[in-house]
Amino acid sequence: GSFTHAAPSHVDTSTEWDDAQARLGNVKPKPKPAKPEKFTASFDDAGALASRRNDAVDASTSDGDDFDDDDDDAYVREYRARRMKELTAEATAKAHGEVREATRATFVAEVTRPSADAYVVVLMTRAGCRDCEKMERAFEILAAKFPRTKFVKIAHRECVPNYPDRLAPTVLVYRDEDVARTYATLAPFGGEHMTPEGVELALRETSADVCPSASDESEADVARRRAAYVAGVLERAVDAARREASADAVDD
């Protein structure tokens, strides 16, 4: 008997074997299989896909489990970063509450770097200076009142070589590793009749975050307090001038 080889083929579609036989003229060409149409998602398809995706998300979270630490959701990552920053700030605040003393060698660690996260207020003071002593007492009071803000003092020429004696005390407000505000002498706070409240109110002009108000104090309340302080400084100055004039009259 004869041996005949037949390649497997579909009835209505062409195979490579069929194509080769057709080229030789042995068989008639068979039609090529039709190409599938390109798939284009319609609005209905997209809605169905979104619905299935939402169902899958609901199913995965229906048991009430929290997100994993490795969750890639942007909102969760942002929330965690913000919360971590708040916790760090709270922990840092507990370390304040008193005036720190800095030197030229420790200035960056005590002032510059911490100012990247919060305000740092620096007093450039001078030994034997009565106005400086008054400002140092104000700093001690404010440091205890506003523990979230770091208060630091440093000898004026330890901070800036050849700094003029006449400009002491000088107050520097640091933020973002740079000086945000400078106050030279007691003049910006009310002169020799200043009080710690005057220093607080002046520092708030840089930012309310330096000396934050009590939760129940509005900006209008702060404005009234500032006006009352200015009036008080003027009254004390007038009283001092009268006393001095009376003393001069007695001497004459």
Side-chain angles (χ1 to χ4, degrees), residues 48-245:
L49 289 172
S51 177
R52 287 197 295 273
R53 181 179 182 277
N54 290 336
D55 291 343
V57 171
D58 292 340
S60 65
T61 58
S62 61
D63 57 357
D65 290 343
D66 294 329
F67 288 96
D68 302 295
D69 288 340
D70 296 331
D71 196 290
D72 292 332
D73 186 272
Y75 174 80
V76 174
R77 293 199 305 272
E78 181 182 351
Y79 171 80
R80 286 177 178 152
R82 185 171 64 250
R83 184 58 182 152
M84 183 60 68
K85 189 173 183 179
E86 291 173 354
L87 293 174
T88 301
E90 290 176 4
T92 302
K94 295 177 182 179
H96 305 327
E98 61 182 11
V99 181
R100 301 271 298 175
E101 190 159 0
T103 64
R104 187 178 306 173
T106 64
F107 192 87
V108 172
E110 290 285 355
V111 177
T112 308
R113 289 174 186 161
S115 74
D117 299 318
Y119 282 97
V120 180
V121 186
V122 182
L123 168 60
M124 295 171 60
T125 187
R126 176 171 63 88
C129 169
R130 188 178 66 177
D131 287 352
C132 294
E133 293 171 356
K134 183 175 291 188
M135 183 59 76
E136 287 186 26
R137 289 194 293 273
F139 259 50
E140 291 170 359
I141 293 172
L142 294 178
K145 185 177 180 181
F146 303 105
R148 287 184 177 276
T149 300
K150 188 174 186 178
F151 288 83
V152 179
K153 69 177 181 178
I154 184 173
H156 68 317
R157 290 184 177 169
E158 179 78 7
C159 184
V160 180
N162 301 318
Y163 193 75
D165 289 348
R166 61 183 175 81
L167 295 181
T170 292
V171 175
L172 308 174
V173 181
Y174 265 75
R175 188 68 171 96
D176 296 324
E177 302 187 2
D178 199 2
V179 178
R181 191 75 177 265
T182 302
Y183 303 90
T185 75
L186 296 183
F189 312 106
E192 62 179 329
H193 303 291
M194 56 82 73
T195 68
E197 183 182 24
V199 180
E200 171 193 338
L201 292 170
L203 292 175
R204 282 182 60 88
E205 294 176 1
T206 301
S207 171
D209 292 336
V210 182
C211 297
S213 300
S215 59
D216 59 346
E217 185 179 40
S218 67
E219 284 302 314
D221 294 332
V222 174
R224 284 190 287 270
R225 194 154 58 90
R226 181 178 287 109
Y229 176 78
V230 172
V233 168
L234 292 174
E235 184 178 352
R236 289 191 294 274
V238 170
D239 288 344
R242 286 174 179 169
R243 287 194 300 271
E244 186 176 350

Side-chain angles (χ1 to χ4, degrees), residues 16-53:
E16 292 183 2
W17 172 264
D18 294 327
D19 293 340
Q21 293 301 312
R23 284 195 297 271
L24 294 174
N26 296 332
V27 295
K28 293 181 179 180
K30 290 186 177 182
K32 295 283 187 181
K35 292 184 178 180
E37 294 182 1
K38 184 177 181 181
F39 173 76
T40 302
S42 65
F43 287 108
D44 292 339
D45 295 328
L49 289 172
S51 177
R52 287 197 295 273
R53 181 179 182 277

